[in-house]
Amino acid sequence: MSWVTNKLQGLTPSINFSGMGKIAVSAVLVVAVLLTFLGMYWSSEPDQFDVVSSAKEKAAEQGYLNNSKKLVEGYTTASTLHTIIETLLDKPGGFITNDVMPPGLFMDNMPAWEFGVLVQSRDLARAFRKEFSRSQSQSTEDVNLKIAEPQFNFDTKSWALPSSESEYRRGNKELMEYLNRLAGTTNNKAQFYARADNLSDWLSDVSTRLGSLSQRLSASVIDDEPQLESDENSRYVRTPWSKVDDVFYEARGTSWALVHMLRAVEVDFFFTLQDKNALVSLRQIIRELEATQANVWSPFILNGSGFGVLANHSLVMASYVSRANTAIIDLRRLLEQG
């Protein structure tokens, strides 16, 4: 029996497990490198766009641009919101926040950027529904905006049934219907009221958001020890080191969206701002926010303390955001003056 067993073993082909292991390791490394480069590509932030040109392109596609090449009041701001949502969904990698597969699953900076953009989009959509499209508090809501605004507030983490993207696209479709009714000449024409009080109310929400962001950015260098041991309200909550880059990119996304929105507001509220001598203040806010979009040359978001050796990107961002917020407070004061 031993002789037969030896013969059978000699006929069995040998398997080179070490060779297969090398192939498997090589394949894993190749996939990891490819996913890394794909993740880097998906992490690239979208370029800024011209809000007026974008609005005119939309109007021309729908056949609403008249011979004088002028857009109806409100069209530029609503079109800008529509384009921002489009960009959020159609940029490289699409909407990444709800991804369940790599590389999107392991990315955090771009989802933070997306959240900043989405928060501002939600606030502007709410302003359209509550104020911009209504002549007074007792007037009826716009039929399209009352559907669009809740759609933009859908959960960002939903992957399917339904996906976040499908809900946001539905909201954008309703927003386009509002745009068509705004520029059209039908009996069911949409309205836009470029009043100072409407603009001031939306800017109040913007100011609240920027104030919170400024505090969270600054908290990357503030000591978490309480200033007064007897007063619990004096304790600063320091931003965890693992969240410093997320807060930074959320601020980048917020500022990217606001730059476009405020440029559109300058167009549609031009005469209101001019009457209030507020155009200079608005342009100052835009300049401060534009500065937040400068290239980040460091591969990491650093949060060095005080006047230490390492840079603090969060503190630089907080400076621009805080100055923009201060200018918004001044602008609202001008708008509220008679």
Side-chain angles (χ1 to χ4, degrees):
M1 289 294 292
S2 61
W3 178 82
V4 175
T5 303
N6 291 336
K7 284 294 185 180
L8 290 174
Q9 289 177 348
L11 293 174
T12 304
S14 61
I15 301 175
N16 189 350
F17 288 101
S18 61
M20 291 186 63
K22 291 179 180 178
I23 294 174
V25 170
S26 299
V28 170
L29 289 175
V30 170
V31 171
V33 170
L34 291 176
L35 289 177
T36 299
F37 279 102
L38 184 61
M40 292 172 62
Y41 175 60
W42 286 6
S43 295
S44 57
E45 299 170 19
D47 295 330
Q48 297 181 36
F49 61 90
D50 187 305
V51 297
V52 175
S53 297
S54 176
K56 286 184 175 180
E57 287 177 8
K58 278 187 173 61
E61 289 173 0
Q62 302 296 325
Y64 293 129
L65 200 60
N66 58 31
N67 294 331
S68 62
K69 302 296 183 182
K70 289 184 179 180
L71 297 168
V72 297
E73 194 173 68
Y75 196 96
T76 303
T77 304
S79 171
T80 297
L81 176 58
H82 187 275
T83 303
I84 286 173
I85 297 296
E86 272 187 335
T87 304
L88 190 66
L89 299 175
D90 298 332
K91 61 181 174 54
F95 187 70
I96 296 173
T97 302
N98 63 343
D99 281 7
V100 295
M101 295 291 290
L105 179 63
F106 303 117
M107 296 170 62
D108 60 349
N109 291 343
M110 181 49 68
W113 185 92
E114 291 174 345
F115 184 72
V117 173
L118 193 57
V119 166
Q120 291 305 318
S121 300
R122 289 168 172 173
D123 286 350
L124 184 57
R126 184 171 62 252
F128 263 99
R129 181 184 178 183
K130 289 177 57 183
E131 286 127 10
F132 294 163
S133 63
R134 303 173 66 186
S135 60
Q136 54 187 355
S137 60
Q138 300 300 317
S139 58
T140 58
E141 293 181 314
D142 185 88
V143 293
N144 296 120
L145 294 177
K146 71 179 182 180
I147 299 175
E149 190 257 340
Q151 294 302 121
F152 295 142
N153 283 275
F154 188 75
D155 181 18
T156 59
K157 296 288 187 178
S158 181
W159 176 64
L161 300 176
S163 66
S164 303
E165 293 93 332
S166 64
E167 297 301 288
Y168 300 153
R169 289 190 191 279
R170 183 188 175 198
N172 233 18
K173 181 180 179 182
E174 293 294 333
L175 184 57
M176 179 55 75
E177 290 296 324
Y178 169 77
L179 276 167
N180 292 338
R181 290 174 45 243
L182 186 65
T185 57
T186 62
N187 293 331
N188 193 28
K189 182 175 172 60
Q191 302 297 323
F192 181 88
Y193 299 95
R195 300 198 310 262
D197 60 329
N198 288 346
L199 181 57
S200 179
D201 288 344
W202 172 64
L203 288 173
S204 176
D205 290 338
V206 173
S207 179
T208 300
R209 301 290 190 188
L210 292 183
S212 175
L213 270 177
S214 177
Q215 173 60 36
R216 291 162 62 201
L217 287 164
S218 300
S220 63
V221 290
I222 294 176
D223 191 0
D224 57 358
E225 291 297 323
Q227 292 177 331
L228 298 173
E229 294 182 0
S230 60
D231 186 3
E232 292 184 359
N233 293 328
S234 65
R235 182 184 296 275
Y236 288 103
V237 179
R238 182 167 182 169
T239 304
W241 68 269
S242 60
K243 297 294 183 182
V244 168
D245 57 338
D246 295 345
V247 177
F248 178 87
Y249 279 101
E250 182 183 340
R252 290 265 292 189
T254 295
S255 301
W256 181 89
L258 281 176
V259 164
H260 295 91
M261 293 174 181
L262 292 172
R263 287 172 181 166
V265 160
E266 183 179 354
V267 174
D268 288 327
F269 288 83
F270 179 83
F271 295 109
T272 300
L273 293 165
Q274 191 177 54
D275 290 342
K276 299 289 186 177
N277 295 318
L279 278 171
V280 174
S281 296
L282 178 66
R283 289 165 183 167
Q284 176 64 28
I285 299 167
I286 294 173
R287 283 195 297 270
E288 295 292 351
L289 293 174
E290 285 176 338
T292 67
Q293 301 303 298
N295 290 330
V296 180
W297 298 108
S298 172
F300 304 104
I301 301 303
L302 304 176
N303 65 329
S305 59
F307 296 104
V309 177
L310 298 179
N312 191 299
H313 297 102
S314 296
L315 202 57
V316 174
M317 179 69 75
S319 175
Y320 290 125
V321 171
S322 179
R323 290 207 297 266
N325 190 28
T326 301
I328 287 176
I329 294 171
D330 292 340
L331 174 58
R332 290 190 63 227
R333 189 178 297 113
L334 289 174
L335 292 172
E336 290 169 0
Q337 291 175 356

